[in-house]
Amino acid sequence: MESDAIQAEALTKRYRPEGPPAVDGLTFRMPRGATWGLLGGNGAGKTTTIAMLLGLLVPSGGRVSCLGHDMARDRFAALARMNFSSPYIALPARISVAENLRVYAHLYDVPRTEQRIAELAEELQLTELLDRPAGELSAGQKTRVALAKALINRPELLLLDEPTASLDPDTGDWVRSLLERYRAESGCAILLASHNMAEVERLCGVPGGHVLMLKQGRVVDAGSPAALLAKYGREDLEEVFLDIARGRQRAAAA
Amino acid sequence: MNRAALRRIWGLVYRHLALYRRSWPRLLELMYWPVLQMVVWGFVTAYVAGIQANTASLAAAALLGGALLWEVALRGQMGFSISFLEEIWSRNLGHVFVSPLRPRELVAALMAMSLIRVVVGVAPAVLLAWLLYAFGLFRMGPVVVAFFLALLLMGWAVALGVTSLLLRYGAGAETLAWSVLFGIAPISCVFYPVAVLPAWLQPLALALPASHVFEGMRAALLDGAIAWAHLGWAFVLDAAWLVAMGWVFMRQFQAARVKGALLNIGE
């Protein structure tokens, strides 16, 4: 039987032994090919969760496996088949876009490097930018380059931390369309941490789509966007988010 | 080491080479200090020799040879540490550490970059020493290659320690990348024998591979002999320091993963 894209069991992280947990007993199983969202306010534990899934951060308790590999013992086998993008982690600014993509093609042992870079450049409208230093690009262009890096190894599992933060609505929409297209073509599983409720509603609003609502490191509610809207009797996820963040329970949800 | 591992190492080396390809000031900076050091020490040795043309003076040769070989340790350490710092400055470590690049491959790539930087930086200084002062570093014979290697290994051991501190304290510890080896220089006995040091300091000096290398260099220049015992000790100590600092690096890397330091190391 094919393993889940992600399996987390009682995943916990405390940055200080006596301090409150940043993530507290998170348990979930995300199937292959699904698109899930992690929603929560600042400090809810989204970035910490993603860092533990990537092996950047060692959990204080519990365990996590990605694509069938235990991230405590065998993370490199999983990392070769995953990728990640975040606007808060940069690519080297002083080398060109093509050189950046070549670096990551080597790190991920991507076959036919130049062909893959040309494909991505065309797909992400980067062809004219390939010879420009990455640091000279606009925020939208940098996001496209970061996505090209994240797709360079044709990942089976893609982790995205606020992929459209600081982008204008047009570019944000373009990125979401690209992710939908890539998911449809590749069957890639996508886990998305975001503050953008409309984005989560759109990307996770497909069969198998699921949202984990986090607050203070714990899952306070979960379900498909449609199920959450029905449960809270709201028109959009932003209202559901505010209900949860402010501790309001709608009658239907109570 | 399999093909994919070699390719990952090449990926990181390629990233740094691309940086130099686009920046001639960076390339010039590699050669600038070793050449400047060589020129200053060349004049000092000419002065010590008494006559400008007396470059055959053995004492003078020991000074100039010491200055050139010390650059190997210094540039080797800085080449490793600064390549790691480049990743911190570019806020790229998060991407590197979530790629399949293993920590040992990261170390191998930093060593490869260090070797390239040493060759590019020190070779012009060695050539100029020959052209300006008629000092041929290879007059010591093939053993100079062993001296070169022993000092490079020591530079890497120190760099592993510095990189561990960077993982622990972030960019706040970056001045160590430039300064730490200058602190070791007085007991590395680059320009004088270990016997010159106070008795209590001599064991410390003899625990460093560099002091054995420079004792060996003086034996080669002054007596025309290869001091096998010093050479042997240099490599044994190199191995011991590399194992110790490699352990410290891996411990610190793991501690950084526990504390979350890899997420915000550049901040």
Side-chain angles (χ1 to χ4, degrees), chain A residues 13 55-58 75-76 79 88-90 94 96 99 102-104 106-110 113 149, chain B residues 3-4 7-8 10-11 14-15 21-22 26 90-92 95 98-102 257-260:
Chain A
K13 182 66 190 178
L56 263 183
L57 195 57
V58 177
R75 73 180 189 278
F76 294 111
L79 289 174
Y88 308 114
I89 299 180
R94 292 189 178 86
S96 73
E99 286 165 342
R102 250 176 239 131
V103 168
Y104 284 94
H106 291 312
L107 291 181
Y108 285 90
D109 196 20
V110 174
T113 300
K149 173 261 161 190
Chain B
R3 188 198 58 80
R7 195 169 171 209
R8 289 191 290 270
W10 166 241
Y14 173 84
R15 172 254 193 282
R21 192 174 75 81
R22 292 185 163 269
R26 280 173 190 268
S90 62
R91 295 172 55 239
N92 182 43
H95 284 310
V98 302
S99 81
L101 185 83
R102 279 68 166 166
R257 286 182 65 222
V258 170
K259 290 195 328 182

Side-chain angles (χ1 to χ4, degrees), chain A residues 1 3 10 43 49 55 73 84 108 126 131 137 153 167 174 199 203 206 210 216 220 236 247:
Chain A
M1 199 178 88
S3 57
T49 301
R73 290 184 289 108
F84 163 67
Y108 285 90
L126 293 171
D131 291 327
L137 305 179
N153 61 329
L167 295 183
W174 188 91
E199 176 171 276
L203 287 171
V206 291
H210 197 81
Q216 294 173 336
V220 288
D236 56 50

